[in-house]
Amino acid sequence: MIWRGATALAGTALRLTAPMTGADWRERLALTGPEVVPGGIWLHAASVGELTSARLLAEALADQSRLTVTTNSTTGRALASKLGWTAVLAPLDVPQAVGRFLDRIEPSVLVTVENELWPNRSVMADELGVAQVVVGARISARSAERWARLPRLIRPMLERIDLLSAQDAGSEQRLMQLGLPPDAIGSRLNLKLLDPARIQPPHDGPDRAETVLAASTHEGEDEIVLDAYLAAREIVPGLRLILAPRHPVRGDAVAARLAARGIAFRRRSTGGDLDAQILLADTLGEMADWYAAAGICVTCGSFADHGGHTPWEPGAWRCAILHGPHVSNHAADYADLDAAGAAMGCTAADLSARLVELAQDPRRQRGMGKTAREMLLSRAGDPQPLVARILDLAHGGLA
């Protein structure tokens, strides 16, 4: 967990994700801003990524309470407004701005998403009796070691928290060692996994067992997947491939390579569908259809060194997961899935053999997909108990 702005107007407190106008700066100083009906819940997220991850939680709170959403960026503010909430730029962590903002919105609860704790905001909200909640909290061992050297800063902020939902047990333990009261620990929730966890995958059928999705290929990976697929198809003639480039703008280039090799294929952008043995899925907004159709998913960005893409989306669709060696973006997740038998790492050289193994063993394939989905649901958590606790705090309860 990273806390910014240890002192008023600290340099890190002024780093923003997009240029701001004079009007935006006045809003961050709480001198101006949109009309706000006082009371209810104040939810703060740093920017678009954090707000997107907390969307389902925010929607549940907004259904039963007045909700004001703040972000540090104009892009985050725009997203909050688009989603239908009262959207304001967050006050800078200086006493005057925080004081004006709190006087204006009069929240009963402050819900902070992930990593956004600020010292002035923390103490001034506490002085006004505003309950403080953190959702999606995370802190690495390395960060915890650094914060342990600043106990007079970190401990008081943690001691003021009424409810904290961490992403994992390790974060819980490290935060308690830094000063979080044990009775403030709430149910765990991984905000980024809530959306995938709501997916309802289809029933498995014979077509799905022999359909491979190469999800989000990057330059250099199309050929790797295609070579592996063609070799596997020599052994499993009915094997189908959905080739989905990460950036559909590459569709023409990928199509040209396929045509140059004399390979029969159809393009989705020109009307191709799942009847094609090889479908070049060069469109936007249809990935759910491809996941639903495939029993095997090759998660790309992992054969070329792009750090790999999330395994949890194919896991949500109950796909058996194959991935390359470059998964640094989600290393722990892939390691856990591999260890549980829900995913398999491979190289360009043995990808074909892994495809044949899974296509010829539908039972194993289904078992891998089932395990991946179960792991996803376990890690995502259930937001309802947390929503209930926050609403209880909003109504003055401490249970």
Side-chain angles (χ1 to χ4, degrees):
M1 199 176 260
I2 300 173
W3 287 273
R4 306 177 183 86
T7 59
L9 290 176
T12 50
L14 296 176
R15 291 178 194 155
L16 303 170
T17 58
M20 292 214 173
T21 66
D24 294 329
W25 281 111
R26 288 190 291 275
E27 189 170 318
R28 290 222 66 182
L29 289 168
L31 296 169
T32 62
E35 184 176 343
V36 174
V37 179
I41 295 172
W42 170 17
L43 184 142
H44 174 73
S47 191
V48 170
E50 293 81 3
L51 184 57
T52 299
S53 72
R55 180 179 60 83
L56 293 178
L57 182 69
E59 288 174 350
L61 294 173
D63 282 343
Q64 301 184 61
S65 176
R66 186 175 300 121
L67 185 70
T68 299
V69 176
T70 62
T71 69
N72 299 338
S73 70
T74 55
T75 51
R77 179 183 59 183
L79 176 60
S81 181
K82 181 180 178 181
L83 292 171
W85 303 316
T86 299
V88 190
L89 288 175
L92 292 172
D93 198 51
V94 295
Q96 297 88 340
V98 173
R100 284 190 292 265
F101 189 82
L102 288 170
D103 288 345
R104 182 172 157 220
I105 72 167
E106 298 179 10
S108 56
V109 178
L110 165 57
V111 178
T112 298
V113 179
E114 293 188 10
N115 303 336
E116 283 282 307
L117 293 186
W118 295 78
N120 289 313
R121 188 182 301 177
S122 170
V123 69
M124 295 178 75
D126 184 66
E127 289 171 348
L128 291 174
V130 179
Q132 299 186 48
V133 177
V134 180
V135 296
R138 54 187 170 83
I139 182 169
S140 67
R142 184 176 179 183
S143 292
E145 289 176 4
R146 289 199 297 264
W147 280 111
R149 302 186 193 115
L150 300 168
R152 286 190 290 181
L153 174 61
I154 188 62
R155 182 170 289 275
M157 286 198 291
L158 291 174
E159 288 176 342
R160 296 183 193 110
I161 293 173
D162 297 286
L163 174 63
L164 181 140
S165 170
Q167 292 189 18
D168 55 79
S171 290
E172 286 178 1
Q173 291 298 318
R174 288 187 279 271
L175 289 167
M176 284 191 289
Q177 290 168 1
L178 290 169
L180 179 72
D183 60 4
I185 294 291
S187 56
R188 289 178 206 153
L189 206 62
N190 190 318
L191 298 175
K192 291 181 173 65
L193 299 185
L194 291 183
D195 251 347
R198 297 205 310 173
I199 290 169
Q200 294 298 320
H203 293 295
D204 293 313
D207 288 345
R208 196 166 193 254
E210 290 195 350
T211 300
V212 178
L213 168 63
S216 298
T217 61
H218 289 259
E219 185 72 32
E221 292 186 309
D222 309 290
E223 292 83 355
I224 291 172
V225 171
L226 188 62
D227 288 343
Y229 162 76
L230 292 173
R233 197 172 71 179
E234 292 293 319
I235 301 170
V236 186
L239 198 63
R240 299 190 303 170
L241 174 66
I242 303 169
L243 187 63
R246 176 71 170 178
H247 304 107
V249 71
R250 292 202 305 112
D252 287 346
V254 177
R257 292 189 191 111
L258 291 168
R261 294 178 62 171
I263 297 169
F265 70 99
R266 295 289 305 280
R267 292 182 69 169
R268 178 59 178 163
S269 61
T270 59
D273 57 27
L274 290 169
D275 289 335
Q277 190 163 26
I278 298 178
L279 176 65
L280 175 55
D282 56 341
T283 56
L284 287 171
E286 296 188 293
M287 280 301 294
D289 294 334
W290 315 142
Y291 282 120
I296 303 168
C297 179
V298 182
T299 57
C300 294
S302 63
F303 291 92
D305 192 0
H306 291 279
H309 300 302
T310 176
W312 297 120
E313 193 164 6
W317 288 98
R318 216 166 50 234
C319 297
I321 299 168
L322 297 176
H323 63 87
H326 303 292
V327 292
S328 58
N329 293 342
H330 305 275
D333 293 332
Y334 277 105
D336 290 345
L337 286 161
D338 288 352
M344 283 195 293
C346 47
T347 65
D350 62 11
L351 176 58
S352 177
R354 301 291 85 78
L355 290 175
V356 170
E357 285 177 22
L358 292 181
Q360 291 184 329
D361 192 349
R363 182 175 179 179
R364 181 185 180 192
Q365 185 186 129
R366 289 192 297 270
M368 290 176 67
K370 181 173 182 289
T371 300
R373 179 166 174 79
E374 288 171 349
M375 291 176 68
L376 164 67
L377 296 177
S378 174
R379 291 179 180 220
D382 180 1
Q384 292 309 311
L386 186 61
V387 168
R389 288 284 303 277
I390 293 171
L391 291 170
D392 187 68
L393 288 169
H395 295 117
L398 294 175

